[in-house]
Amino acid sequence: MFANLLSALRFPLALILVPLVWNEHWAWALALMMFAIATDIIDGYVARRFAKPTPVGGLLDHGSDAFLVVCGLGTLAAQSKIPILLPILVTLAFTQYLLDSGAIRKAGLRASRLGKINGQLYIGFLVVLIALNLFKAHDQVAPIVLGVAWALVGSTLLSMIDRARHRFQAERSPNN
């Protein structure tokens, strides 16, 4: 129960992140992200150590992470700091992940290796972008930021294609 509360806490944190980023309160945005990351680490530990992880807990954990990332990246995209395609694809990839995993039917979430790496990279990229703005270094490295953003677009597309391919193969399998 406590782990689920920590996961759920990231939903309102995401809503607070939007005006912080929009109004360029970078230090507060970075502090909020560090707190959100801490809740993510702690909720996983608590769920594994003191309670049995559940499909609802997994959905809350991954859903709140995705919502936080989409809110942060979406706000940065609205400021033209990154391509708008990235937060759109993150949303689509998470939706595909939910549908393909059977999470809605309470079957639990099944992450792909690339999807898991992408999820960590999205959070890391968001933190780095906030820190670059805090230290007024974004403009100096804008081409690199843009390259990383497009690389994440590419890896997200690859992850979505890979997930779709696995689902297609599973549906055509004679064991289904």
Side-chain angles (χ1 to χ4, degrees), residues 19-130:
L20 291 177
V21 171
W22 186 258
N23 294 305
E24 301 182 357
H25 297 297
W26 302 116
W28 285 107
L30 187 58
L32 183 142
M33 285 301 300
M34 294 298 102
F35 181 69
I37 290 168
T39 66
D40 193 22
I41 292 167
I42 294 167
D43 73 8
Y45 173 77
V46 168
R48 287 184 300 276
R49 176 83 167 105
F50 300 107
K52 180 182 165 206
T54 64
V56 170
L59 182 60
L60 268 174
D61 182 37
H62 295 286
S64 62
D65 291 344
F67 188 64
L68 180 71
V69 165
V70 168
C71 285
L73 293 179
T75 306
L76 289 163
Q79 294 173 325
S80 301
K81 293 184 185 291
I82 60 169
I84 190 68
L85 189 56
L86 182 56
I88 290 169
L89 284 177
V90 171
T91 302
L92 293 174
F94 181 72
T95 302
Q96 179 190 30
Y97 172 54
L98 282 178
L99 296 174
D100 287 355
S101 293
I104 294 172
R105 295 180 309 275
K106 300 202 184 213
L109 297 170
R110 293 185 312 269
S112 69
R113 183 177 302 142
L114 182 55
K116 193 176 236 182
I117 291 168
N118 278 342
Q120 294 167 345
L121 289 174
Y122 302 144
I123 291 171
F125 186 54
L126 179 55
V127 169
V128 167
L129 288 172
I130 291 169

Side-chain angles (χ1 to χ4, degrees), residues 134-156:
L134 172 62
F135 297 112
K136 300 186 184 340
H138 182 271
D139 292 344
Q140 292 87 344
V141 295
I144 295 169
V145 166
L146 192 59
V148 171
W150 283 111
L152 284 171
V153 165
S155 67
T156 303

